[in-house]
Amino acid sequence: TAILLLVLLIYTLIIVVPSLHDGSIFYWSASIISGTFVFTGLAVVAFVIKFSRLLCIFFTLDDCVYANNANDDDMSTSSSFSSPVASPSRQARSGSPFLTAEVAGGRRNLKRSSVIFKEPLLRTTSQRFTESSSKKPEPEKTTTTQHRQAPDLPQPSEWPHRPVLVCVNTPVDKSLTVDGTYGHGPCPIGKPFWFSSDLFEGLCLIRIRDVQNSDDPEGDNAYFDGRRRLFQTIVQGRFKEALSVDSCLTGHEFTKPLQNLPHPWILNAATSLIGKLAPGAEIRVSGEHPKMLAPLAGTSQVVRADEPGTEPDIASEDGVEEDCTLLGGKFATGKSVSISARKAHLANPKHASKYTFDTETVYTFDFYQNLLNVNTYSLDLGIANIGMGPILNGQPIQCLGKT
């Protein structure tokens, strides 16, 4: 459409306008007629191209419906995810294996239906979809996701970095502890602190731009100066047992439904797109226990693996540099692997399962972003701020690593 309008505009300025000033009625009429034929021809070509695409979709639509119905006959909701691909360590930790599946709709020997049968077929399919949608959803399986509740938290007047509070989420893992100085109370911001869980121990540093009463305001200002970043979490330490790289996840988990979400079909489309871009992602935005999880090594902005004693200082205002040589495989060839290439490679469980986090190497994971403003609890999109409090239903975000 834009091209046709541009052609019409050029034709008007170059042919029609000069002919009007020329005074020759015959020349003016001939120009208009020839231009009309040219423009009509272009319009017909555009219409044929678009219409042919619609016809192509229309004549193959019944195959899609038949294939979908065939798949519905072969699979039930409970058996959709039936191929365990988890490592033994993941199965042992979760109590049941993480399950994934690759559903491929193979066509049976179906003859293409004629156009006359498409409408009844689609109407029947629509009715089936309506009936299935009207059924009450099955209750979700129990989840171990838990958050500390208000009675278990310090009073807001006691928060040293108010309006922000960083604390350990003790209900998830009773063995999760931080430096005895902080206990279950507020953790420092801008200053590294020690922590330990049943799978990992080391240091954690959380930086938040413009937070009140940071434990190292000069260091925070030096780090954020000249950068658009609003938030950083950097973790450095050792694993207590060897874990497959694909089994380690990061993200957010919630105990209550999210609110004020877009229409389900928009969420489904977005989830499907993210699933294609990041095959290892586990996303469930709707439901009683929403979660957004992705592979740890495929999500972290910077990943390092160092021999003990050679690890970088995570409190450096310059940040840390990427170095995955000790991971081996693709990264041990001596060739430089870019951060984007590492993310794409390790975000795919098929590739990530070939690597292991051992217990001797010191690993550093650096996460930072420039969208979430923790001080205002909003997404800063540049042209607008979206408050996250109502959407998250009053729930906290997490700095999370799990199997």
Side-chain angles (χ1 to χ4, degrees), residues 64-363:
C64 299
V65 175
Y66 274 124
N68 183 63
N69 290 341
N71 290 336
D72 289 343
D73 294 337
D74 293 339
M75 298 184 302
S76 65
T77 304
S78 60
S79 64
S80 296
F81 298 87
S82 58
S83 302
V85 295
S87 61
S89 60
R90 291 180 75 172
Q91 298 182 20
R93 285 292 163 196
S94 62
S96 61
F98 280 56
L99 303 181
T100 62
E102 194 171 75
V103 181
R107 294 188 180 183
R108 298 176 178 175
N109 295 325
L110 301 174
K111 294 183 180 180
R112 183 169 298 171
S113 68
S114 61
V115 176
I116 201 170
F117 291 111
K118 291 181 183 292
E119 192 273 337
L121 174 62
L122 294 178
R123 188 193 309 120
T124 303
T125 305
S126 176
Q127 291 173 351
R128 290 180 180 177
F129 177 78
T130 303
E131 292 172 358
S132 63
S133 301
S134 62
K135 295 180 180 179
K136 295 183 178 180
E138 296 181 1
E140 295 184 12
K141 297 181 180 179
T142 57
T143 177
T144 57
T145 302
Q146 300 178 63
H147 288 164
R148 292 177 65 174
Q149 302 299 318
D152 186 41
L153 295 173
Q155 292 296 322
S157 59
E158 301 175 2
W159 296 3
H161 313 107
R162 190 175 179 182
V164 179
L165 171 68
V166 177
C167 63
V168 61
N169 193 19
T170 49
V172 173
D173 181 5
K174 298 300 182 182
S175 68
L176 182 60
T177 57
V178 297
D179 190 327
T181 306
Y182 309 107
H184 295 168
C187 293
I189 295 179
K191 176 183 175 182
F193 60 92
W194 176 89
F195 75 98
S196 176
S197 70
D198 59 342
L199 292 177
F200 191 92
E201 66 176 352
L203 295 173
C204 177
L205 169 63
I206 297 175
R207 287 187 174 115
I208 301 173
R209 182 188 286 270
D210 299 330
V211 70
Q212 296 293 325
N213 302 321
S214 167
D215 294 278
D216 185 9
E218 294 183 0
D220 287 355
N221 292 335
Y223 174 78
F224 288 113
D225 185 37
R227 295 184 171 108
R228 297 177 55 202
R229 302 171 188 176
L230 298 174
F231 181 81
Q232 181 202 28
T233 300
I234 183 167
V235 175
Q236 182 183 83
R238 299 186 190 181
F239 288 88
K240 293 184 177 180
E241 64 179 65
L243 295 174
S244 177
V245 172
D246 70 308
S247 70
C248 300
L249 305 174
T250 186
H252 300 279
E253 294 179 321
F254 301 98
T255 60
K256 296 184 294 184
L258 303 183
Q259 298 179 335
N260 303 325
L261 295 175
H263 194 278
W265 72 266
I266 298 179
L267 294 177
N268 293 337
T271 302
S272 177
L273 176 60
I274 295 174
K276 292 179 180 179
L277 297 177
E282 299 180 21
I283 301 175
R284 186 178 65 231
V285 179
S286 58
E288 293 296 321
H289 304 286
K291 65 178 180 178
M292 290 78 74
L293 300 174
L296 175 69
T299 305
S300 178
Q301 274 75 6
V302 177
V303 175
R304 281 190 67 94
D306 296 280
E307 296 287 351
T310 64
E311 64 272 13
D313 179 13
I314 63 174
S316 171
E317 62 187 51
D318 297 325
V320 298
E321 296 183 357
E322 176 102 355
D323 187 355
C324 297
T325 304
L326 294 185
L327 282 179
K330 177 179 180 179
F331 306 96
T333 59
K335 298 180 180 179
S336 176
V337 179
S338 66
I339 293 178
S340 58
R342 182 260 305 165
K343 287 184 175 182
H345 187 63
L346 297 182
N348 190 328
K350 179 180 178 181
H351 302 312
S353 61
K354 300 177 182 178
Y355 299 87
T356 301
F357 290 133
D358 60 43
T359 58
E360 300 298 326
T361 305
V362 177
Y363 296 95

